[in-house]
């Protein structure tokens, strides 16, 4: 990695995960005796390229402090912030605003890396490969190449429907499923999110500024915990590691 560049990571963890049908936010559900968020933190903490991790919680969060994860993880580069917003984009933007206000760095040399709290199966090797490819992409053309994301080529046939009936089949060539982490030049992402508070991922906000993020192929195991059955699959895969 180019030592001139610093990477600040943001984990937005202010959501409630309504599709999990759980009484607590899904990032606090347990897999193999640890909350889901533990695994995301562990991977980012162990990544030497990341200098600071901002964990953005809901202002009303009363659960995280009871987990005592400091017993199992080195929190020396983790900052816990109860500044989460109503949307993912707002939570990430609030985290970036904290960086602007508290870290007096040259923002032209800072990247922001965003990773889902409920994506526990990101491998360290995959993360470091991703960072290297994004930095290389940026160095090749700094004025145009501002970052990118992990993604997987669409494997299944895609259907468009109306009233539960197929309207048409959509060719899957050149279609990808977005994952995290996503990593962009700090100033570009900050500006993009200021103008896209309802974007569901960082790449879509950056795309609205007419940039073309790099797609770095990830792994199918790096899925987001969304539905109850995902917990069982994640448990099996984590045990196999």
């Amino acid at each position: 990695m180019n030592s001139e560049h610093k990477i600040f990571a943001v984990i937005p963890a202010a959501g409630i995960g309504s599709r999990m049908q759980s009484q607590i936010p899904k990032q606090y559900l347990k897999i193999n005796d640890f909350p889901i968020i533990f695994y995301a933190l562990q991977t980012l903490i162990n990544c030497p390229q990341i200098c600071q991790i901002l964990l953005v919680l809901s202002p009303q969060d009363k659960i995280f402090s009871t987990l005592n994860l400091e017993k199992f993880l080195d929190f020396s580069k983790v900052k816990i912030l109860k500044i989460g917003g109503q949307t993912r984009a707002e939570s990430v933007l609030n985290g970036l605003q904290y960086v602007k206000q508290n870290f007096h760095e040259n923002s032209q040399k800072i990247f922001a890396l965003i990773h889902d709290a409920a994506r526990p199966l990101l491998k360290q090797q995959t993360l470091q490969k991703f960072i290297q490819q994004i930095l290389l992409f940026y160095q090749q053309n700094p004025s145009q190449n501002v970052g990118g994301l992990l993604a997987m080529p669409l494997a299944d046939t895609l259907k468009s429907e109306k009233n539960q009936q197929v309207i048409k089949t959509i060719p899957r060539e050149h279609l990808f499923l977005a994952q995290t982490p996503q990593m962009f030049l700090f100033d570009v992402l900050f500006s993009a999110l200021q103008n896209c508070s309802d974007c569901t991922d960082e790449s879509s906000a950056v795309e609205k500024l007419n940039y073309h993020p790099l797609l770095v192929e990830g792994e199918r195991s790096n899925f987001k915990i969304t539905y109850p059955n995902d917990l069982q699959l994640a448990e099996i895969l984590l045990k196999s590691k």
Side-chain angles (χ1 to χ4, degrees), residues 89-155:
E90 288 178 12
S91 293
V92 173
L93 182 59
N94 290 348
L96 299 183
Q97 183 68 55
Y98 180 88
V99 174
K100 270 186 170 288
Q101 294 172 347
N102 294 275
F103 295 92
H104 303 292
E105 309 283 350
N106 181 351
S107 60
Q108 292 295 324
K109 295 183 180 296
I110 296 178
F111 278 84
L113 182 148
I114 318 301
H115 186 52
D116 295 325
R119 207 178 284 269
L121 288 154
L122 174 66
K123 296 177 181 177
Q124 186 66 226
Q125 181 180 4
T126 303
L127 173 59
Q128 295 196 29
K129 179 195 76 171
F130 168 72
I131 290 173
Q132 290 168 0
Q133 291 195 29
I134 294 300
L135 290 177
L136 178 61
F137 180 63
Y138 170 72
Q139 290 163 4
Q140 290 169 345
N141 187 351
S143 65
Q144 294 295 323
N145 300 342
V146 298
L149 65 154
L150 279 182
M152 286 299 301
L154 191 65

Side-chain angles (χ1 to χ4, degrees), residues 41-94:
L41 279 167
Q42 182 183 50
T43 302
L44 297 191
I45 286 171
N46 290 334
C47 179
Q49 293 97 325
I50 295 173
C51 68
Q52 188 78 32
I53 300 166
L54 307 178
L55 178 60
V56 181
L57 306 177
S58 164
Q60 292 77 41
D61 191 297
K62 293 181 173 61
I63 299 177
F64 186 83
S65 62
T66 69
L67 301 176
N68 297 317
L69 296 185
E70 296 90 338
K71 292 182 178 179
F72 308 98
L73 298 172
D74 178 4
F75 266 51
S76 60
K77 63 179 182 180
V78 178
K79 183 68 177 179
I80 300 166
L81 304 171
K82 288 190 174 184
I83 57 173
Q86 294 298 312
T87 66
R88 172 200 176 90
E90 288 178 12
S91 293
V92 173
L93 182 59
N94 290 348

